[in-house]
Amino acid sequence: MYNIIQTILIIDAILIIIAVMMQPSKQQDALNALSGGGGDLFSQQKKRGFEAFMEKVTVVLGIIFFVCALVLVYLSSH
């Protein structure tokens, strides 16, 4: 059981890396973080399409990662 969950954790970690690398670039957001971002205060738009899908995939993979990590901690302590 321990080895199966550890394998799932490793595969999930690789998928998280791939999902993060596939997300669209947010250079404007980084620029706003450095300059204060006052110009885009009222121009917030809801994410749509591929960007929204990749964000959801990343969140789901992150949840799976932490659940597997907690299960591994539990199994290794008992």
Side-chain angles (χ1 to χ4, degrees), residues 19-31 47 50-51:
V20 169
M21 296 298 288
M22 287 179 62
Q23 289 183 4
S25 176
K26 297 182 179 179
Q27 293 176 353
Q28 189 63 28
D29 291 340
L31 181 62
K47 296 176 182 171
F50 183 72
E51 186 176 351

Side-chain angles (χ1 to χ4, degrees), residues 18-76:
I18 293 169
V20 169
M21 296 298 288
M22 287 179 62
Q23 289 183 4
S25 176
K26 297 182 179 179
Q27 293 176 353
Q28 189 63 28
D29 291 340
L31 181 62
N32 285 340
L34 295 174
S35 65
D40 289 337
L41 183 61
F42 298 108
S43 67
Q44 296 293 330
Q45 295 181 355
K46 188 175 180 179
K47 296 176 182 171
R48 296 188 177 141
F50 183 72
E51 186 176 351
F53 174 73
M54 288 309 297
E55 185 175 319
K56 290 176 187 175
V57 167
T58 306
V59 168
V60 169
L61 289 173
I63 291 170
I64 293 170
F65 182 86
F66 282 110
V67 168
C68 286
L70 291 174
V71 169
L72 283 177
V73 168
Y74 178 78
L75 289 175
S76 66

Side-chain angles (χ1 to χ4, degrees), residues 4-21:
I4 293 170
I5 295 176
Q6 189 173 15
T7 304
I8 292 171
L9 186 73
I10 292 170
I11 292 169
D12 188 49
I14 293 169
L15 290 175
I16 288 174
I17 292 170
I18 293 169
V20 169
M21 296 298 288

